Amino acid sequence: MKATVGDRVHIKGRIVGMKEHIGEIIEIRGAEGEPPYVVRFDDGHETLMYPGPDCLLVPRATD
């Protein structure tokens, strides 16, 4: 998985009724776009993460 700053991550709920978590990649700590990523979620929480199989990477919008 390769990403750039500004890409969005969508983490699907693993349990019925669990909401999806959406965040923005604000820093890439791996080489050449590889994980780990520092992600800021919509609620303001920031974390260092290695995306798993339940994570979808959405490229940032380019105009």
Side-chain angles (χ1 to χ4, degrees):
M1 179 178 285
K2 293 188 183 230
T4 59
V5 172
D7 289 354
R8 308 274 297 168
V9 293
H10 293 246
I11 302 171
K12 305 287 184 183
R14 291 178 273 165
I15 302 170
V16 173
M18 182 183 224
K19 70 175 191 164
E20 178 179 58
H21 297 282
I22 301 172
E24 179 181 355
I25 296 174
I26 59 173
E27 183 180 342
I28 297 172
R29 295 205 178 161
E32 299 179 16
E34 296 289 329
Y37 307 129
V38 178
V39 177
R40 180 182 300 129
F41 290 96
D42 291 342
D43 65 359
H45 175 79
E46 292 182 11
T47 191
L48 180 69
M49 70 177 290
Y50 288 85
D54 58 345
C55 183
L56 175 65
L57 184 64
V58 179
R60 68 179 166 195
T62 56
D63 297 323

